[in-house]
């Protein structure tokens, strides 16, 4: 068994976390991941109201007695969700782990910590991870450039970002972006992380609540089949490469503004992709790691398989690699 600071502090068997994905992080998937020994995550804003979130949390509790968390992603928008009410729904539900992401989570962290809730903050740079550490989060999830969704504007891949975070942080952290198997988990641990966060890989599981055709699209895709959009707006987002994402890039590339692509990137269109199985219906997020995904297993089985693979890789390295001592200058 791979024990790390993360597994010890968060009470999970394996250092594997399911990302909080919009429209995907529902009770069935979160419970399956937690039952497999990982940390499942319900996505708060997938639920239309705080009351619906409370019901989804209660539903998840009927499916697992293992720890699971709730993702609360904080974004700046014209019609902002009632974050304080979603936060209170989490507190009242008795959930003991929250993943925050997006904008400055300080006020939310303070409230969660007052109620004994552990907070993982998701970020895309070492400087943001250090700020999260200063405001008192219990762990950080750090996204490399390979990730789905928003990779930030620094374009630093995991091979550099993970050890840089390990050198800078004193709290546990998990690596995110580009992970799909035991080799990735072993690599992350070797680079100094305390575990991994996976989004795209968990989209391709039995319990993932997206259309089978989209799961099959991911399995059949390569690492080249993603598209970076919103680069000109400094709000970079990695999405599946399709006609819609290509049109967004073309419009912004010739000087367009957000209002010129707003209809194309509407969240309602992305949701229909997952519901109806048409990969060309809108913008939907997926990581480069789709090139490493070749099956659609049960989520719990996947967690156990990845943990076992990582142990095998690390054991083989320990037995077979001879490391010469570093000369002292």
């Amino acid at each position: 068994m791979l024990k790390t600071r993360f597994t010890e502090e968060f009470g999970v068997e394996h250092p594997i976390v399911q990302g909080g994905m919009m429209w995907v992080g529902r009770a069935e998937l979160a419970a399956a991941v937690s039952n497999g020994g990982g940390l499942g995550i319900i996505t708060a804003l997938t639920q239309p109201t705080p009351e619906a979130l409370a019901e989804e949390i209660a539903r998840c509790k009927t499916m697992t007695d293992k720890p699971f968390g709730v993702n609360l992603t904080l974004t700046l928008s014209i019609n902002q969700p009632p974050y304080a009410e979603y936060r209170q729904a989490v507190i009242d539900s008795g959930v003991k782990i929250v993943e925050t992401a997006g904008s400055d989570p300080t006020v939310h962290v303070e409230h969660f910590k007052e109620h004994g809730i552990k907070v993982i903050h998701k970020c895309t740079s070492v400087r943001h991870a250090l700020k999260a550490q200063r405001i008192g989060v219990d762990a950080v999830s750090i996204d490399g450039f390979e990730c789905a969704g928003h990779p930030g504007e620094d374009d630093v891949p995991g091979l550099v970002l993970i050890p840089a975070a390990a050198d800078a942080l004193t709290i546990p952290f998990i690596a995110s972006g580009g992970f799909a198997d035991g080799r990735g988990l072993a690599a992350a641990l070797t680079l100094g992380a305390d575990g991994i966060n996976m989004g795209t890989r968990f989209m391709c599981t039995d319990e993932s609540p997206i259309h089978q055709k989209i799961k099959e699209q991911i399995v059949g895709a390569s690492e080249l089949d993603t598209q970076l959009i919103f680069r000109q707006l400094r709000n970079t987002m990695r999405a599946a490469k399709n006609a819609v994402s290509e049109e967004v890039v073309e419009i912004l590339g010739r000087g367009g503004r957000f209002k010129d692509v707003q209809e194309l990137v509407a969240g309602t269109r992305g949701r229909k992709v997952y519901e109806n199985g048409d990969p060309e219906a809108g913008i939907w997020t997926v990581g480069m790691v789709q090139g490493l995904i070749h099956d659609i297993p049960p989520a719990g089985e996947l967690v156990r398989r990845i943990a076992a693979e990582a142990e095998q890789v690390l054991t083989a390295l320990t037995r077979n690699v001879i490391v010469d001592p570093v000369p002292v200058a």
Side-chain angles (χ1 to χ4, degrees), residues 76-129:
L76 298 175
S77 59
I78 296 173
N79 300 309
Q80 287 204 59
Y83 289 121
E85 295 177 29
Y86 276 97
R87 182 184 70 218
Q88 193 60 47
V90 173
I91 292 170
D92 292 343
S93 74
V95 167
K96 292 302 180 184
I97 301 172
V98 167
E99 178 191 65
T100 56
S103 303
D104 186 348
T106 302
V107 64
H108 301 286
V109 171
E110 292 171 353
H111 281 275
F112 288 134
K113 298 293 286 182
E114 286 175 3
H115 292 85
I117 297 172
K118 291 185 179 295
V119 179
I120 307 165
H121 184 62
K122 194 169 189 177
C123 48
T124 60
S125 70
V126 173
R127 64 184 182 278
H128 292 150

Side-chain angles (χ1 to χ4, degrees), residues 178-209:
F179 297 102
D181 56 29
R183 296 172 299 177
L185 174 54
L189 296 176
T190 303
L191 291 170
D194 299 284
I196 57 171
N197 176 300
M198 302 191 303
T200 301
R201 174 66 271 204
F202 280 122
M203 288 170 69
C204 286
T205 57
D206 286 346
E207 296 85 356
S208 169

Side-chain angles (χ1 to χ4, degrees), residues 24-307:
V24 183
R26 300 182 188 272
E28 288 84 358
L29 178 57
V33 172
S34 291
N35 284 333
L39 180 63
I41 301 285
I42 290 174
T43 308
L45 298 184
T46 291
Q47 302 303 317
T49 64
E51 294 75 18
L53 173 60
E55 292 173 3
E56 189 74 355
I57 293 170
R59 202 163 66 87
C60 192
K61 286 183 176 181
T62 68
M63 302 179 195
T64 184
D65 58 359
K66 302 293 180 65
F68 66 90
V70 174
N71 165 278
L72 185 62
T73 296
L74 311 164
T75 59
L76 298 175
S77 59
I78 296 173
N79 300 309
Q80 287 204 59
Y83 289 121
E85 295 177 29
Y86 276 97
R87 182 184 70 218
Q88 193 60 47
V90 173
I91 292 170
D92 292 343
S93 74
V95 167
K96 292 302 180 184
I97 301 172
V98 167
E99 178 191 65
T100 56
S103 303
D104 186 348
T106 302
V107 64
H108 301 286
V109 171
E110 292 171 353
H111 281 275
F112 288 134
K113 298 293 286 182
E114 286 175 3
H115 292 85
I117 297 172
K118 291 185 179 295
V119 179
I120 307 165
H121 184 62
K122 194 169 189 177
C123 48
T124 60
S125 70
V126 173
R127 64 184 182 278
H128 292 150
L130 286 169
K131 180 178 180 181
Q133 179 173 268
R134 285 195 298 272
I135 67 174
V137 304
D138 299 278
V140 166
S141 176
I142 193 157
D143 263 353
F145 180 62
E146 306 92 333
C147 72
H150 295 279
E153 305 305 314
D154 295 339
D155 296 357
V156 180
L159 194 59
V160 173
L161 189 61
I162 299 167
D167 289 344
L169 296 169
T170 58
I171 58 175
F173 79 97
I174 53 177
S176 181
F179 297 102
D181 56 29
R183 296 172 299 177
L185 174 54
L189 296 176
T190 303
L191 291 170
D194 299 284
I196 57 171
N197 176 300
M198 302 191 303
T200 301
R201 174 66 271 204
F202 280 122
M203 288 170 69
C204 286
T205 57
D206 286 346
E207 296 85 356
S208 169
I210 66 175
H211 200 284
Q212 183 69 16
K213 287 184 179 179
I214 301 304
K215 298 179 187 181
E216 292 169 359
Q217 169 95 2
I218 294 171
V219 169
S222 83
E223 64 277 10
L224 302 177
D225 295 320
T226 69
Q227 179 85 59
L228 293 174
I229 65 175
F230 301 157
R231 299 236 83 180
Q232 298 86 346
L233 306 178
R234 292 195 61 77
N235 187 29
T236 300
M237 177 178 178
R238 187 180 300 282
K241 184 182 291 186
N242 62 13
V244 184
S245 65
E246 295 279 9
E247 186 175 355
V248 170
V249 169
E250 192 274 327
I251 291 171
L252 295 179
R254 64 170 188 256
R257 304 282 187 93
F258 179 74
K259 63 180 178 62
D260 301 313
V261 298
Q262 187 170 359
E263 188 277 331
L264 291 171
V265 302
T268 51
R269 290 185 60 165
R271 183 175 184 173
K272 288 179 180 178
V273 169
Y274 295 143
E275 290 177 348
N276 301 332
D278 179 2
E280 296 291 327
I283 295 294
W284 54 286
T285 60
V286 69
M288 297 173 77
V289 76
Q290 65 184 342
L292 302 178
I293 297 172
H294 308 299
D295 64 350
I296 306 170
E301 176 186 306
L302 177 65
V303 170
R304 292 186 290 270
R305 184 174 85 192
I306 289 175

